[in-house]
Amino acid sequence: GINAEYGPEVKEEEVVVASEEVAPSHKTSLKEILVSIQNTQPKDSIHMTEVRDVMMNVPYEAFEQTINAAINQLATRRTDNKKIMIGNQIHSDKSVVNLFLAGSVFSASELEFADAKAGASTDVDMNLVILKEMVIEAGAQWHLENKVDRNGTITGMNIRFT
C-alpha cells in the first residue's frame, strides 16, 4: 500500500518541476492585439507602421494590457498632436514591437529604472512602475530609449518590447 501512495506523489512532484522549467507556450497574434487596441485608443493618437503579423509567446490579455498601458504612458507626453507610431521588426525567432513618440524624451531616471533589475525609483511616474510590472507579468522584455538621428539630436522616445 505504501508504494502505491508514494508513486503518484513522486510523479506529481516531477510534473511541478517540469512545468516550472518549461514556460507555457502562447500563440498570440500581434495583429489581433493591435486591432483591439486601435478600437480602444483615440483614432488620432496612434499610427501603425508596417506591422507584420507574428505569433508571440506571450499571454494575449497580459500583453494587450501592457501595450495599452505603454500607449497611455506615451499619450500623456504627446506634444503638437504627434502620433504614437507602432511598428515591429522580426529577427529570426524574435519579434520586436516599437512604440515611438516623436518630440518627447524619457528622463535619465526613467531610462535607468526600466533597465534596473529591482528597486523602485522615487522620481519615476507611478504608471511607469505599473507598466514595468505588467511587462514582467506578461513574460516580455522591454527597453526604453530616446532615439537620436545621425547628428545626435534626440528625435523622440521609444518603448521596445521583445
Side-chain angles (χ1 to χ4, degrees):
I2 292 168
N3 286 350
E5 283 170 25
Y6 187 66
E9 225 173 71
V10 169
K11 236 197 195 114
E12 259 174 53
E13 267 177 19
E14 281 170 17
V15 170
V16 170
V17 170
S19 72
E20 272 172 15
E21 284 171 17
V22 180
S25 180
H26 299 278
K27 293 245 183 298
T28 295
S29 158
L30 177 60
K31 264 251 159 75
E32 262 180 56
I33 283 184
L34 295 180
V35 164
S36 155
I37 282 171
Q38 257 179 324
N39 296 331
T40 58
Q41 292 287 342
K43 290 277 171 282
D44 64 342
S45 66
I46 52 178
H47 177 72
M48 309 279 172
T49 59
E50 300 164 37
V51 172
R52 288 166 57 198
D53 196 19
V54 62
M55 289 298 163
M56 301 177 300
N57 186 15
V58 285
Y60 180 89
E61 274 184 15
F63 196 63
E64 181 192 26
Q65 287 167 356
T66 303
I67 295 281
N68 236 330
I71 291 171
N72 293 337
Q73 175 69 33
L74 291 178
T76 62
R77 316 285 268 275
R78 284 173 68 208
T79 55
D80 308 327
N81 288 328
K82 289 194 169 73
K83 294 185 186 219
I84 296 163
M85 305 299 217
I86 302 174
N88 74 330
Q89 297 140 329
I90 298 161
H91 304 287
S92 60
D93 61 337
K94 254 198 179 155
S95 175
V96 178
V97 182
N98 283 301
L99 276 64
F100 175 75
L101 177 61
S104 302
V105 295
F106 285 113
S107 69
S109 54
E110 287 172 327
L111 297 173
E112 251 169 61
F113 166 74
D115 287 337
K117 289 283 169 274
S121 174
T122 44
D123 23 318
V124 168
D125 175 6
M126 195 58 211
N127 291 319
L128 203 62
V129 176
I130 294 165
L131 178 56
K132 185 176 187 175
E133 294 294 315
M134 292 170 90
V135 172
I136 294 165
E137 193 81 6
Q141 267 99 37
W142 74 330
H143 181 69
L144 301 188
E145 60 198 343
N146 290 322
K147 287 272 188 206
V148 289
D149 63 16
R150 285 193 198 98
N151 308 321
T153 310
I154 294 180
T155 55
M157 62 206 301
N158 193 63
I159 304 181
R160 189 172 77 217
F161 294 103
T162 49

